[in-house]
Amino acid sequence: MPARPIETSAPAQHRPREAMGAAHLTAWFAALAIFVLLWQFGEPISKWAFDYPKAWQIPLARWISDAMKWLVNEASFGLFTFTDLTRFIADIVNLPYRLALSLLSTGFLSGQGSSAVQILPPLSWIAVIAVVTLIGYHAGGRRLAAIVAICFGFLAVFGQWQSAMVTLASILVAVPLGVVGGLLLGIAAYRWPRFETALTPILDLMQTIPVFAYLVPILFLFGFGPTAAIVATLIYAMPPMTRITVMALRAVPSEFRDLGNMIGCTRRQMTWRVLVPSAKDSLMVGVNQVIMLSLNMVIIASMIGAGGLGFDVLAALRRLDIGAGLEAGLAIVALAIALDRLSQAYAARAGAPVAPASTGGLVARHPYTVAAVAVILVTGVAGLILPAVQTYPDALKLSTGSFWSNVVGWINVNFFDTFEAVKNAVLLNILIPFKRLLGGLPWLGVTGMLAFAGWRLGGLKLAAIVGVLAFLIAATGQWEKAMITTYLCGISVIFAALLGIPIGILSAERARLWSWVRVIIDTLQTLPSFVYLMPAVMLFRVGDFTAMIAVVAYSIAPAIRYTVHGLMKVDPRLIEAGRAMGCTPFQILTKIKLKLALPEIMLGLNQTIMFALSMLVITALVGTRDLGQEVYIALTKADTGRGLVAGFAVAFIAIIADRLISSGAARTKARLGLV
């Protein structure tokens, strides 16, 4: 008889959970029913719920433009104006940039403009390749030295040396400033929680506002030229370093802090002699992020006078010169791979034991530095006698421009009908219907549904954040273009997930396949976003379909990586338990692995959305009509208010998606007992 209460109590324990699940579904059905009723029958009654009235719009663009004009024309600090301050900052940044540019590209000049006379030539191409090869050998041995030498040799052989050195000069200035600035902000956020609370939303905006939107106010404040481009690069590349610094300092074991306190360290000594050295492994990962983001931004900043490889790609895109554009794009790839591998090698080296210092002479103590200086001096003197040592000979340069143009011509002649058929089929059956669907939704209903989703996933606070951000998109007059952005982003993310998640599943099950896939996606993530536009334009011309192809290619890597990471994190004991119960491999995958990996896959989807939104702004160059195009038009007209409002709208979309998906992933983890 005692067994009977036990049998009846087990279902009783599940009744509250079942009741909560039923209430949850009922609430969702009720919200969806209200939304559908408003969508289908609400327009005749409440037209304002579909088209936000212009009389109610917040004139944020005008306010920002007026504020910017006041800053430039009237703002003063007594002894100097705001314009004087920005020009002073520009001059400070310009000094190291001119030094780097003189060393790598122009040489040291006397005079200005066309009357300038070269006093001392720049470093020869042989010297630069030798120095970076020595750096590669010091960081990662012969293999890395060979990779770096091949990448820089490619720049010389294919005639991209001069532009690449201009780009490299900008990076050599932007990266140290970005690392130092991010490190100091991160330390301040770690020390003072209130400062971190105030800084976090600013960092969120800086990382979600499109890169083009940065360029508009910076162009207004700092003028047109490479200095303004470096300032834009700093703003873009600093937030990841700040976040990684805070995380790295918090991850330092408490034993290290206790040891510092025991030996009487002051607060400054604790920071710089205990915490920062202990966190150097993670901090080097931040340096790698700053380098790659700086390279990406320097390319984009060619629009405001950065010059270099980015300008070459942009000019080729405008001329539709596929051959020249691909050559410049491949040069960007080579430079990105070299810088990425070097920074990764030094990040790995930071965690290795430090070898004891040599006690010999100067050569024994600093062999790499001595070798680099010797090569620079020898090639510098030899270059005065032999021009081929100083500058790579034109007669030995190769060009694949005509080859790629011929390949494109051959593809277009033989496969034009096929590509057009695929393009038109996707446009007519998927893209255009989805675009019309989103364009016809009421802003009030969408805002309400997003707020409801926030409430169900994260409570009233998340509901308020999501609802207010969605309302601001409508209230600033950006709703129509925001829906076009959402449609392009949504379709691209769906395709990226449909391709990336199965590839991730296959890679997680096969170690050899994953080793190859990881190399491919690592390479894809080192490529600046401009590079993805070239093959898309080459094959499909301009338009929404071309933009979608470029966005999918750019954003697929996180979908693959997070899927593999989630599946590999599944506890092997659970898999063994499934096998012991007689589960087939398919059942183990679907019933155990994918369920437990779902939170990681959701986070990968979140990152895919972030990547897609950042790329969508770049695709304004190929004819989209979304918020990215609005930012691009504002850049061409130097309209700060228009550009920032459109940029804020993109940032709001990104923040809404990030908060909802992150909350959903957290709830899923809790439901699966993974926290």
Side-chain angles (χ1 to χ4, degrees), residues 290-307:
V290 172
I291 290 173
M292 300 317 297
L293 289 174
S294 296
L295 178 60
N296 191 26
M297 188 62 185
V298 164
I299 302 302
I300 295 168
S302 61
M303 294 183 174
I304 58 171

Side-chain angles (χ1 to χ4, degrees), residues 91-452:
D91 289 340
I92 290 176
V93 173
N94 193 47
L95 284 174
Y97 172 73
R98 288 297 167 192
L99 176 62
L101 191 66
S102 299
L103 281 172
L104 294 173
S105 178
T106 62
F108 293 89
L109 306 175
S110 175
Q112 298 290 330
S114 58
S115 61
V117 178
Q118 190 180 79
I119 302 172
L120 198 65
L123 296 179
S124 70
W125 66 276
I126 295 176
V128 173
I129 292 176
V131 169
V132 295
T133 302
L134 285 169
I135 294 172
Y137 187 76
H138 177 258
R142 294 179 181 177
R143 183 178 178 184
L144 181 58
I147 291 173
V148 173
I150 290 170
C151 288
F152 275 79
F154 174 89
L155 300 175
V157 171
F158 285 90
Q160 302 296 323
W161 186 264
Q162 197 66 22
S163 295
M165 291 303 102
V166 173
T167 298
L168 185 59
S170 297
I171 292 170
L172 289 178
V173 175
V175 168
L177 293 176
V179 169
V180 171
L183 180 65
L184 294 177
L185 283 175
I187 291 172
Y190 171 76
R191 279 188 174 183
W192 299 294
R194 289 185 179 179
F195 179 75
E196 183 185 8
T197 302
L199 185 64
T200 299
I202 297 173
L203 294 178
D204 288 342
L205 280 176
M206 289 173 70
Q207 288 191 281
T208 52
I209 289 179
V211 289
F212 279 2
Y214 288 148
L215 303 184
V216 185
I218 287 170
L219 180 63
F220 212 84
L221 294 174
F222 294 93
F224 184 88
T227 304
I230 292 173
V231 173
T233 303
L234 287 175
I235 296 173
Y236 180 64
M238 204 181 292
M241 186 68 197
T242 303
R243 291 186 188 276
I244 289 173
T245 299
V246 175
M247 292 173 59
L249 294 178
R250 284 181 178 156
V252 173
S254 58
E255 293 85 354
F256 290 9
R257 297 190 191 89
D258 295 339
L259 179 61
N261 290 325
M262 287 174 60
I263 61 177
C265 286
T266 63
R267 197 171 187 182
R268 179 180 296 179
Q269 290 171 330
M270 178 70 78
T271 299
W272 295 105
R273 297 192 178 184
V274 178
L275 295 178
V276 171
S278 301
K280 63 181 180 180
D281 296 4
S282 299
L283 293 177
M284 284 303 299
V285 175
V287 173
N288 173 261
Q289 289 293 301
V290 172
I291 290 173
M292 300 317 297
L293 289 174
S294 296
L295 178 60
N296 191 26
M297 188 62 185
V298 164
I299 302 302
I300 295 168
S302 61
M303 294 183 174
I304 58 171
L309 293 170
F311 178 79
D312 294 346
V313 173
L314 184 62
L317 272 176
R318 287 171 174 166
R319 300 192 311 267
L320 287 180
D321 186 348
I322 303 300
L326 278 176
E327 277 197 334
L330 290 173
I332 294 171
V333 172
L335 190 60
I337 290 173
L339 295 176
D340 179 61
R341 296 298 184 270
L342 284 173
S343 57
Q344 284 189 14
Y346 274 111
R349 185 183 172 89
V354 179
S358 176
T359 56
L362 180 65
V363 175
R365 285 184 284 117
H366 305 287
Y368 295 98
T369 304
V370 171
V373 171
V375 170
I376 291 171
L377 292 176
V378 170
T379 55
V381 173
L384 299 175
I385 304 169
L386 300 171
V389 175
Q390 179 63 39
T391 306
Y392 191 83
D394 291 336
L396 298 180
K397 288 180 182 177
L398 302 177
S399 176
T400 58
S402 58
F403 168 77
W404 290 115
S405 296
N406 292 333
V407 168
V408 172
W410 180 82
I411 291 174
N412 286 331
V413 167
N414 292 278
F415 299 100
F416 178 80
D417 292 339
T418 303
F419 287 143
E420 283 297 302
V422 172
K423 175 181 172 181
N424 291 333
V426 174
L427 274 172
L428 295 175
N429 296 299
I430 299 176
L431 296 186
I432 292 176
F434 189 55
K435 182 179 181 180
R436 288 175 177 170
L437 172 68
L438 288 184
L441 296 178
W443 68 266
L444 183 64
V446 174
T447 302
M449 282 300 298
L450 289 172
F452 177 79

